[in-house]
Amino acid sequence: MTTLTLLMRAGQSSASSVTASLAVSRLAHDFRHDVRAASTAERQAADNGQPGRLRLSLAADRVVIYERQKAAIVRRELSGEQSIRTEAYSVDVRDVSFAVPGDSAARLVTLTLSSGLSDHAPTRGRFMSAAPRQFQFDAALGADHRFVR
């Protein structure tokens, strides 16, 4: 009975780890795609003492906003005031920050998050968690527009 319980917990733990890793991968892909397509990026203060949000201006009146909501990062795509698409990346987020370039030539926009995701290593029948993982995603602002004049 104990071996069966251990195997079930191990399977459950690995399944949730895979799901969270896929969410982080999707977030990284979408964030980089949005920043490269954006013409401007600005950090905005959030309400209620929550971490700030990132606002990316795309073509015409389209805007993408990234913000933390509970244990997820939420991406909202707007056209004017109308919501086109909302995506929630369910990652156990402990801390999130956005860095936007000033007048520097680097023009890198950065999303940094600390996640409850950790590597699990079995030790004598138990799973021990490592420290929370830190993720940093960088993207060049407007890189998709580099040949447009």
Side-chain angles (χ1 to χ4, degrees):
M1 182 73 167
T2 305
T3 304
L4 183 58
T5 303
L6 178 62
L7 289 173
M8 289 176 62
R9 285 185 185 166
Q12 197 174 39
S13 175
S14 63
S16 64
S17 179
V18 167
T19 301
S21 293
L22 287 173
V24 169
S25 179
R26 278 192 0 243
L27 171 61
H29 176 268
D30 291 348
F31 176 78
R32 289 181 179 123
H33 176 77
D34 289 339
V35 171
R36 290 174 59 91
S39 55
T40 62
E42 67 176 293
R43 274 180 31 196
Q44 297 178 326
D47 309 326
N48 318 46
Q50 291 290 323
R53 62 179 63 110
L54 177 68
R55 179 185 175 93
L56 301 169
S57 299
L58 304 176
D61 63 345
R62 286 189 41 225
V63 172
V64 173
I65 298 173
Y66 284 87
E67 62 187 332
R68 176 183 176 185
Q69 291 182 1
K70 298 184 183 176
I73 301 291
V74 175
R75 175 191 181 273
R76 289 184 297 134
E77 187 173 347
L78 308 168
S79 179
E81 296 297 317
Q82 182 179 358
S83 179
I84 298 173
R85 179 178 164 209
T86 300
E87 180 87 28
Y89 306 93
S90 298
V91 180
D92 182 14
V93 179
R94 302 229 170 119
D95 188 32
V96 64
S97 64
F98 301 102
V100 176
D103 294 329
S104 69
R107 312 254 316 143
L108 279 180
V109 177
T110 303
L111 165 60
T112 305
L113 61 94
S114 293
S115 170
L117 278 180
S118 58
D119 295 319
H120 295 286
T123 305
R124 295 187 188 179
R126 296 184 322 191
F127 282 87
M128 298 186 65
S129 295
R133 291 175 128 180
Q134 179 111 2
F135 297 96
Q136 180 173 320
F137 310 120
D138 298 312
L141 180 63
D144 289 351
H145 305 287
R146 65 187 178 274
F147 300 117
V148 177
R149 291 196 185 242

